[in-house]
Amino acid sequence: MTDQDLDDMADLLGDEQVMRYYPRPKTRAEAQDWISWNRRLYEEHGFGLWIISLTETGEFVGDCGLTIQQVDGASEVELGYHVRTGCQRRGYATEAAATCRDLARERFGVARLIAITNPANGPSRAVAEKIGLRLEKHARVHGEDRAIYAAQL
């Protein structure tokens, strides 16, 4: 993810449908902050969220990757993903999430992986389950009730 991805990321994170399980869509400035946050993650941890694009055409699909999140006072490696509305329900999130799960284990030596989802977000929960994460608990994350899916890698 680079500053050149701002238009795509602003469209993605500003989309009401994509962000319906968040408190609100993000502004263009917040999308720029999102890119900057991921670039810091790359520098500090070697990973962050990456751009998902179609191999055949290069079309922007969304983002997926690994971040560090605080859950119940512990630092956890989280797998996160967002897919453009027009690209949803085609398996892209599952494919990208499975690849990032494997990368977490094989390249970064992550022993435990979580996904933080809104309890009402059935599609996101389904992706987590398809790649082997299981509902572990509910917790307050960023002031919101969230379902925490987890797996030992």
Side-chain angles (χ1 to χ4, degrees), residues 25-128:
K26 295 190 181 300
T27 65
R28 185 174 181 84
E30 289 170 327
Q32 179 63 64
D33 291 345
W34 186 267
I35 291 169
S36 298
W37 170 60
N38 279 287
R39 295 185 59 75
R40 283 191 306 276
L41 286 170
Y42 304 153
E43 291 173 16
E44 294 171 13
H45 302 285
F47 56 73
L49 293 167
W50 297 288
I51 297 295
I52 304 170
S53 59
L54 297 182
T55 303
E56 303 82 23
T57 64
E59 177 187 353
F60 175 80
V61 172
D63 69 354
C64 183
L66 308 170
T67 68
I68 305 295
Q69 298 289 338
Q70 295 294 312
V71 178
D72 291 339
S75 290
E76 298 268 17
V77 177
E78 183 210 13
L79 173 63
Y81 34 85
H82 304 94
V83 173
R84 286 183 29 234
T85 302
C87 294
Q88 292 176 1
R89 300 206 180 273
R90 296 184 190 175
Y92 297 137
T94 301
E95 181 180 354
T99 300
C100 288
R101 175 206 57 211
D102 296 347
L103 192 64
R105 178 184 58 241
E106 295 164 13
R107 181 168 179 190
F108 299 110
V110 174
R112 174 181 156 83
L113 188 64
I114 69 165
I116 302 170
T117 68
N118 182 310
N121 190 342
S124 184
R125 293 174 69 156
V127 169

